[in-house]
Amino acid sequence: MTVATFDRARLEEALLEGLPGLLSEVRDRLAEHWPDYAAFLDAERDAVVEPAALFVHRLLDMSIADLSSPERASLDRADETVRLVFEEIGRRQQQVGNDLTRLLTAFQLGARIAWRHVAATALRLEFAPDNLAALADSVFVFVNQLSFSAANGYVQEQLDDALARERRREELANLLLSGRSSTEAIRTAALQAAWRIPETAAVVIYIDGDHELARTMVSRLEPGALPIRRNGVVFGAIIPEPSGPGRRLQLSRELTGLGAVVGNPVPLAELPRSLEIARIAARLRKTGVLTDDPVFADEHLDALIVWRDESLVAALREEMLAPLQGETEAARARLTETLASWLRQFGDRHAIAEELRIHPQTVRYRMARLRALFGDRLDDPESRARLFLALEWPAP
């Protein structure tokens, strides 16, 4: 038998003629275990022929070319074309939800079938054994390159999809906090961000300004939490259904040790108010008025109301405690303590004595002095209420 020299043109023509049969065999084999890929080959036959033809051209390039030769530049351009084609295949497979491992396994199956077709064609054309060996090596090296390109496209599509989803989630969070969006706009944005619209939500913010800890805080929350960013920096999140069964305990476990504040639960349209209340609570946590970890704002609404404006609290204290200004510092402290207990204990002298650990007669003496200083104001309900606020919420 005469052994033919490597005639690229003859082999390429024969391989291209055999492509329909090769693709049909690949489709039939895929149908056994990967019917979705087989259906893809049927539906996208015209689109598949182009990368299959590229495979043939590049395979023969690899088999005969010295990659250190001047032909290297044109081969690199061919590699780039093939890489982009198969990266797009990987991207499409990720878009339709196919698994990467299944895709690469299907590639290997295709490689074995391709090699059988290439080998049979080369033998039929009586190619030399060394040419056949070069073809075999090229087939499997090239298939590995194609698998890598497809896998890279698949992973890049995942990353792009994740980044796009995060952008949509961030845009949704900004929309919810703007207070100016219609229900329809929110519904559309939530659909695009794959976010289930809850009945109520709350804002969680991080207090201390450490951006890494803020990201840690958000990462601990359930996947339904929407990150809140300003200038690209995460400082909080919107959490759905914060008052659901077991949610407060869950949030406490997730947020303990992170210096977090949870705003009050509100309907979505009122989320800006939850953010405002969370910010007031964060300020009070920083100044030591609130000490919980984490702080749940709805457990401290009285403190938030009183301390929303510190200057007003200071003015109230100054006005209501003015009668004590003429006393010595020590006497002022004793009388202030006794007045606060008297208000808490509704005037019960024995309860006051027990709370302050002093004799009831001492309570009697101090109250007599307070009545002399405050007069009828101690009997006026409105004045007592204002005194209570001034004494129960001292400066931090």
Side-chain angles (χ1 to χ4, degrees):
M1 180 179 67
T2 303
V3 177
T5 59
F6 195 98
D7 187 335
R8 177 196 172 117
R10 287 180 62 216
L11 181 56
E12 185 167 346
E13 181 181 3
L15 290 175
L16 291 175
E17 287 178 357
L19 272 183
L22 187 154
L23 292 175
S24 294
E25 183 178 348
V26 171
R27 180 203 60 207
D28 293 342
R29 290 293 304 278
L30 289 175
E32 298 175 19
H33 301 290
W34 300 278
D36 48 344
Y37 290 142
F40 172 78
L41 281 180
D42 276 333
E44 304 289 339
R45 176 59 67 98
D46 292 340
V48 171
V49 168
E50 180 185 358
L54 281 173
F55 174 88
V56 170
H57 293 308
R58 188 65 187 92
L59 172 66
L60 296 179
D61 287 341
M62 293 176 67
S63 299
I64 65 173
D66 175 5
L67 296 185
S68 64
S69 72
E71 298 176 10
R72 176 61 185 267
S74 63
L75 291 178
D76 284 347
R77 286 192 294 273
D79 282 343
E80 181 69 9
T81 301
V82 172
R83 180 183 67 79
L84 293 174
V85 168
F86 279 83
E87 279 189 359
E88 182 60 27
I89 288 174
R91 284 183 177 274
R92 289 181 183 176
Q93 293 303 303
Q94 200 281 328
Q95 289 168 2
V96 299
N98 283 327
D99 181 72
L100 177 58
T101 302
R102 294 176 70 243
L103 173 63
L104 297 183
T105 304
F107 264 51
Q108 294 302 316
L109 172 64
R112 291 195 296 271
I113 296 172
W115 166 238
R116 285 204 302 272
H117 278 254
V118 170
T121 302
L123 288 172
R124 178 165 53 80
L125 297 178
E126 300 181 344
F127 275 63
D130 57 337
N131 297 146
L132 197 61
L135 280 170
D137 184 60
S138 298
V139 165
F140 293 102
V141 168
F142 192 37
V143 167
N144 283 338
Q145 292 178 358
L146 300 184
S147 297
F148 177 81
S149 295
N152 187 57
Y154 189 99
V155 171
Q156 285 301 316
E157 183 65 22
Q158 281 184 323
L159 293 174
D160 291 348
D161 184 58
L163 289 172
R165 186 168 58 251
E166 278 305 297
R167 282 195 299 271
R168 289 192 291 269
R169 286 161 60 84
E170 181 180 344
E171 289 167 0
L172 174 58
N174 291 335
L175 194 66
L176 290 169
L177 293 175
S178 71
R180 299 185 299 273
S181 299
S182 67
T183 301
E184 187 58 35
I186 290 173
R187 185 179 294 112
T188 299
L191 182 63
Q192 292 173 343
W195 192 67
R196 185 182 64 81
I197 296 179
E199 291 293 326
T200 62
V203 172
V204 180
I205 61 174
Y206 179 69
I207 297 173
D208 295 330
D210 185 317
H211 304 320
E212 288 299 325
L213 280 180
R215 281 194 289 270
T216 298
M217 178 192 77
V218 174
S219 69
R220 287 188 183 182
L221 297 170
E222 81 278 10
L226 298 176
I228 303 172
R229 292 182 174 88
R230 288 290 184 273
N231 300 319
V233 175
V234 174
F235 73 89
I238 295 171
I239 54 172
E241 308 295 2
S243 300
R247 290 284 284 133
R248 183 151 303 204
L249 178 59
Q250 177 190 359
L251 288 169
S252 293
R253 290 171 176 168
E254 292 169 346
L255 299 175
T256 295
L258 294 177
V261 169
V262 183
N264 58 317
V266 294
L268 288 189
E270 299 177 21
L271 269 172
R273 181 164 62 86
S274 183
L275 176 58
E276 179 185 1
I277 289 173
R279 282 173 165 160
I280 296 171
R283 175 169 57 81
L284 298 185
R285 178 71 164 76
K286 281 184 175 181
T287 57
V289 173
L290 302 179
T291 59
D292 297 354
D293 182 21
V295 171
F296 288 92
D298 60 355
E299 295 178 357
H300 303 282
L301 292 178
D302 53 348
L304 300 183
I305 291 169
V306 171
W307 283 105
R308 180 167 183 165
D309 188 329
E310 294 182 28
S311 63
L312 292 179
V313 178
L316 177 66
R317 284 178 56 80
E318 184 177 354
E319 176 196 349
M320 297 308 299
L321 301 181
L324 297 175
Q325 291 305 310
E327 303 293 307
T328 65
E329 184 176 349
R332 190 162 58 245
R334 289 193 299 270
L335 291 172
T336 299
E337 177 186 55
T338 303
L339 179 56
S341 182
W342 179 79
L343 291 166
R344 284 193 299 269
Q345 302 299 339
F346 302 100
D348 186 326
R349 188 174 62 187
H350 293 285
I352 298 169
E354 184 176 347
E355 180 184 354
L356 301 182
R357 297 183 180 180
I358 57 177
H359 195 278
Q361 189 62 31
T362 304
V363 175
R364 183 193 299 272
Y365 167 77
R366 291 183 185 177
M367 286 307 305
R369 180 59 182 160
L370 286 166
R371 285 198 172 274
L373 293 170
F374 284 86
D376 293 341
R377 277 177 287 187
L378 295 186
D379 297 318
D380 176 58
E382 183 177 341
S383 294
R384 286 203 304 270
R386 298 176 71 194
L387 275 169
F388 185 82
L389 286 176
L391 292 167
E392 285 300 304
W393 302 106

